[in-house]
Amino acid sequence: SSGINAEYGKTVLLCGKIIQIAKTSGADVAVLFRFCGEDNINSLYQEGFEKADIKYMEINAVSEETHASSELYAPISDGKTTFQVIIVQVTGYSNLTWLTETLKLLHDCHVFVDDVQLLMEYDEKPEQYKDLVDIMKGISRSHTVRIACDLVQHWFANDDRDIFVLANTLSKHLSSSQLGTLSKNLRNTCDLSKILSIFRNWFIAFYSGPGLQTESLNALQMVLPEQKPGHFIHGPKTVINIVKTHNITLVNDILHTELNRIRYVDVMDDSDISIVHHNLDEDVLRFVSETLEKRCDGTDMILDYGDCFSAEWPAVIVLHQTGQHRLLDDMVKLYLQISRARVYCNIVLFSEKGKTVRNSYMLSLLDKLRDCAQIIIH
């Protein structure tokens, strides 16, 4: 049993391990749990399995209300005799208890869990983590178990101390050989990876206040590992547009200009571009959709933050409305949105209606990005 922390390549590593097991003669079925938005279009696993000639089936579990643990067992059990891999795509609200109860029924399967951070809410109790770890350790006595997460992508801590409750619980019940981290960013270009590394360092500094004990620092490194830029390939410089007010006409003009700029590159088509946002006001979303319809661009390129886990595109335009959440939640969402871009990213920051972009902490962080991004204030 082991866990992999940090986003860069964790999905690829899980996919490779599943293929390795599936290719082993006489291996038991591998069950993969993916936690993602209901409109998530990432197909990395499916494409990988098809290229490797692996027979797989997909089960869509909408939520714990409509797919109780016992109800999932029947289709999984039926698929064991026909398929090498079963993908359980979980959308809607779920929690650690739901996953724990489901895994109790899968003692004869290899188990993989991707983006488990979506289940780690601030109000989970330490014993809930322990119950999940105990079940997985039991399965790992005869089968492979892998869990992947990155707390920077999704962490709604109610208090700064909550993250240490999680870290200490995991370190208490798992040995160092059962825990692994990815220390380098090999997913994005050199320039993008620098930006994301600065974000991660900001998160680490946020939690690493004065007087933090060595034990807690070690635990923090486990669930929130520092990552160094690891790619040597450079790409176009990231552009950060800061629109200080709720000027949706200006936001729309920037989007229009940026799409023209990206489409000037002949090799780019709709599938290479995504517009990623989170919870935009209805007037902004409607305005943006109308712009795309007039341009004959596909409105399906607009995706919410929650539908983008493990997905990626060569070019991403981020529309991020600030002020809806407290700073930490704001930064978590912005980090995930930026990390969806492999090569090029244009970020448009603007305030909610009636406010201005003036958070000193966010602006000071953005100022640290001047060496690796072009910042334009409107």
Side-chain angles (χ1 to χ4, degrees), residues 230-249:
H231 222 304
F232 60 88
I233 299 175
H234 287 265
K237 203 165 190 177
T238 296
V239 178
I240 302 175
N241 294 279
I242 302 176
V243 180
K244 287 199 166 184
T245 60
H246 187 78
N247 188 338
I248 61 174
T249 301

Side-chain angles (χ1 to χ4, degrees), residues 241 243 247-261 284 287-288 291 294-295 317 319 346 348 378:
N241 294 279
V243 180
N247 188 338
I248 61 174
T249 301
L250 179 55
V251 169
N252 210 47
D253 288 344
I254 294 172
L255 173 63
H256 183 77
T257 301
E258 191 58 31
L259 285 171
N260 286 340
R261 181 183 176 193
V284 181
F287 205 4
V288 170
T291 294
K294 290 176 182 177
R295 291 173 46 91
I317 300 172
L319 299 180
N346 186 293
V348 185
H378 300 269

Side-chain angles (χ1 to χ4, degrees), residues 264-292:
Y264 184 75
V265 182
D266 292 337
V267 296
M268 301 288 279
D269 57 36
D270 282 352
S271 63
D272 296 321
I273 308 167
S274 182
I275 301 169
V276 181
H277 71 92
H278 176 68
N279 200 27
L280 288 180
D281 288 345
E282 288 186 12
D283 61 337
V284 181
L285 193 55
R286 182 174 59 253
F287 205 4
V288 170
S289 298
E290 289 173 355
T291 294
L292 293 177

Side-chain angles (χ1 to χ4, degrees), residues 11 58-59 61 72 87 98 110 141 144 156 166 182 235 254 286 295 322 340:
T11 296
E58 297 179 65
I59 300 173
L72 272 178
I87 304 174
W98 178 88
H110 302 283
R141 294 189 181 100
T144 298
F156 301 112
L166 166 63
L182 303 180
I254 294 172
R286 182 174 59 253
R295 291 173 46 91
T322 66
R340 300 307 92 198

Side-chain angles (χ1 to χ4, degrees), residues 157-168:
N158 191 45
D159 187 276
D160 299 350
R161 293 167 295 183
D162 293 327
I163 196 169
F164 297 110
V165 172
L166 166 63
N168 291 327

Side-chain angles (χ1 to χ4, degrees), residues 298-313:
T299 55
D300 56 353
M301 70 169 59
I302 309 174
L303 284 174
D304 185 82
Y305 139 96
D307 297 321
C308 295
F309 290 94
S310 296
E312 58 185 40
W313 295 269

Side-chain angles (χ1 to χ4, degrees), residues 177 208 226 236 319 324:
S177 63
S208 304
E226 180 182 0
L319 299 180
Q324 294 178 313

